[in-house]
Amino acid sequence: MKELLIKNRNFASLFFGRLVTNMGDSIYYVAAMWLVYELGGSAFYTGLAGFLTLIPGTLQFLVGPLVDRWQIQKMLVRTQIIQAILVMLIPLAHFMGFLTVSFILIIMPIISALNQFTYPGQAAILPRIVRKDQLVKSNSLFSFAFQGVDLAFNALAGILITLVGAITLYMIDGVTFIAAAILFSLLKVKSETKSKEKQTVGVALAEYKKDLIEGFTIVFKSHLAKFLLGSIVANCAIGSIYAILPAFADHRGGSELYGLYLAAISGGALIGALGASWLERYPLGKLTIVLFFLGGTTWMISGFIPMNSLSILLFGLSWIPIGATNVIIGAALQSIVPQHLLGRIFSVTSSLGAMAMPFGSLIGGYLAGIFSSTSVYIGSAGGILFISLVWTLNKTLRSLPHTSKLNPEEVGFADESVTVPS
């Protein structure tokens, strides 16, 4: 860790930039969802807000070919600056007297769409600035940047909403995005793509279409498609949780509990991410089955527990499998997929995996109005248990070895599918 952060200046710039932008994301999300809940007055509006925020993630596959071709540093800087401007429109609308639920619901998906460039951009640039044997450690650190910041700032934002209000949090948020842009501007990475002559719009679109199709072809010809089956159901459950959590927390205590439940999500995922280096020694198939069975069980039990502190603790524990497997599988793919295809592979898998989340959010908000937020909370645990079931029933998945022995053939990558030049 010391070697990466002190001796590798590029890694430090990327890491701290991600750290700061995640602060902004955490503050923004908590403030936006609570403000929508306050202005709208029901879980339906938070479900709609969750749907609109998550829907851009299903289109992340469109970003992949662009990430593989664009200068990643400039892309990261510009998206942060635009997000800062959009976030500051919320306080401006408030002070000018025209802030409505509709206005927030328009801004949220735009900011979310800009966020779709960050993850595949980071995934594509990381192998260029660290050694192959440092990828798991590097991904663990980035998961810390994501989950660790969420852990602190989700809890803090829930408290600050009560103390200073959501509008003030938006103003703080704008500053964090500007700071992230400055940090990303310090990156010095030589592009691996060859400089190209100016292209006509028709040629550029043809190449973009070719790259897009190639990304989907590689994923669906490999075993990654099998990974995605369980992921789709689980993400539907996760989407519903994010939608009903404000109402669930309000029923149990208020905005402070909302922040703490969000912090539990980040805390569990953080523990899983930090433990990934230790867990990767076990066979990936068996590890996934056991972890997700335990995770789904603790999630379900947490919904029945009347004591808030114990409920939050158990809910946090259920997110450990998600944090651990995200790091382990992500690092494995980075080590076996050629760098010129990383943007496409990561964006396609992220899009397909996230596709169910916005619909889960919409359905969760709707069902909470018919039944209760508690019923939806408990039922959503089934999505986590479903991953364990899928990997148990599929021989290919349950037989996967630990990542050090994983090779392209184990994941179903045919030689020709990963050597096509971009």
Side-chain angles (χ1 to χ4, degrees):
M1 183 182 297
K2 183 178 179 180
E3 179 185 357
L4 286 170
L5 291 175
I6 296 178
K7 296 182 179 180
N8 190 329
R9 296 178 67 179
N10 275 325
F11 180 83
S13 296
L14 186 64
F15 174 79
F16 288 112
R18 178 68 187 268
L19 197 72
V20 174
T21 195
N22 282 338
M23 291 180 189
D25 291 341
S26 298
I27 294 170
Y28 167 74
Y29 185 82
V30 175
M33 291 295 281
W34 191 260
L35 196 56
V36 166
Y37 179 66
E38 278 191 333
L39 294 174
S42 75
F44 170 77
Y45 283 102
T46 55
L48 180 59
F51 173 81
L52 293 173
T53 302
L54 294 169
I55 200 70
T58 68
L59 303 175
Q60 195 180 98
F61 65 89
L62 297 173
V63 172
L66 301 177
V67 170
D68 286 334
R69 291 179 176 274
W70 287 354
Q71 292 186 33
I72 299 177
Q73 180 202 29
K74 290 182 178 179
M75 178 192 72
L76 292 173
V77 171
R78 289 168 182 172
T79 54
Q80 297 306 304
I81 292 173
I82 297 172
Q83 285 182 84
I85 294 170
L86 291 171
V87 161
M88 292 305 293
L89 289 177
I90 302 295
L92 181 63
H94 171 74
F95 292 126
M96 294 184 70
F98 62 86
L99 180 62
T100 63
V101 172
S102 299
F103 186 80
I104 299 172
L105 292 178
I106 291 171
I107 296 292
M108 289 181 77
I110 299 175
I111 293 178
S112 178
L114 290 166
N115 264 331
Q116 303 313 310
F117 289 87
T118 304
Y119 177 60
Q122 171 208 307
I125 205 172
L126 196 57
R128 303 180 192 176
I129 61 177
V130 300
R131 300 192 309 268
K132 183 177 179 179
D133 63 336
Q134 295 176 320
L135 281 172
V136 170
K137 186 181 293 184
S138 299
N139 279 284
S140 293
L141 284 171
F142 273 103
S143 289
F144 166 75
F146 180 68
Q147 305 296 348
V149 167
D150 274 1
L151 172 63
F153 280 83
N154 283 342
L156 183 61
I159 296 170
L160 289 176
I161 286 175
T162 304
L163 297 177
V164 301
I167 300 301
T168 302
L169 290 186
Y170 275 106
M171 297 172 70
I172 296 171
D173 203 20
V175 176
T176 64
F177 284 123
I178 293 296
I182 293 171
L183 286 165
F184 286 141
S185 70
L186 300 176
L187 279 167
K188 304 293 181 185
V189 182
K190 184 178 180 180
S191 175
E192 296 207 347
T193 57
K194 298 178 180 179
S195 59
K196 298 182 178 181
E197 297 179 1
K198 269 194 170 181
Q199 297 175 320
T200 64
V201 174
V203 172
L205 287 175
E207 288 199 4
Y208 174 82
K209 181 180 177 182
K210 172 182 172 293
D211 290 345
L212 198 61
I213 293 173
E214 186 179 25
F216 275 96
T217 301
I218 292 171
V219 169
F220 282 105
K221 281 187 175 181
S222 71
H223 296 315
L224 293 180
K226 297 176 182 177
F227 290 11
L228 293 171
L229 175 61
S231 178
I232 287 171
V233 175
N235 282 332
C236 182
I238 291 170
S240 70
I241 273 293
Y242 278 115
I244 60 92
L245 209 51
F248 179 74
D250 191 40
H251 174 73
R252 295 184 69 127
S255 65
E256 296 91 342
L257 282 180
Y258 175 50
L260 290 174
Y261 271 100
L262 286 175
I265 293 174
S266 304
L270 171 62
I271 293 171
L274 294 179
S277 297
W278 181 77
L279 290 170
E280 70 168 339
R281 71 185 68 180
Y282 297 103
L284 182 59
K286 293 182 175 61
L287 179 69
T288 301
I289 292 170
V290 172
L291 285 181
F292 279 93
F293 175 77
L294 294 175
T297 302
T298 54
W299 181 324
M300 187 173 292
I301 293 173
S302 73
F304 290 102
I305 299 294
M307 187 185 304
N308 287 332
S309 57
L310 184 56
S311 173
I312 291 169
L313 174 63
L314 291 173
F315 184 56
L317 291 176
S318 70
W319 283 79
I320 291 177
I322 299 172
T325 53
N326 279 347
V327 170
I328 294 170
I329 294 175
L333 290 178
Q334 285 174 325
S335 67
I336 62 177
V337 176
Q339 291 182 12
H340 71 278
L341 294 174
L342 278 171
R344 272 161 279 182
I345 298 299
F346 272 87
S347 60
V348 168
T349 54
S350 295
S351 293
L352 294 174
M355 195 167 288
M357 289 185 69
F359 297 99
S361 180
L362 202 60
I363 294 169
Y366 174 74
L367 291 178
I370 296 178
F371 301 104
S372 69
S373 57
T374 301
S375 299
V376 176
Y377 177 98
I378 294 171
S380 296
I384 305 302
L385 290 169
F386 185 75
I387 290 183
S388 180
L389 178 64
V390 168
W391 283 61
T392 299
L393 296 177
N394 188 283
K395 183 180 179 180
T396 300
L397 297 181
R398 70 170 181 266
S399 302
L400 286 176
H402 53 75
T403 54
S404 64
K405 293 184 179 179
L406 202 61
N407 54 56
E409 289 73 28
E410 292 282 353
V411 188
F413 285 150
D415 290 341
E416 65 269 20
S417 70
V418 294
T419 56
V420 180
S422 60

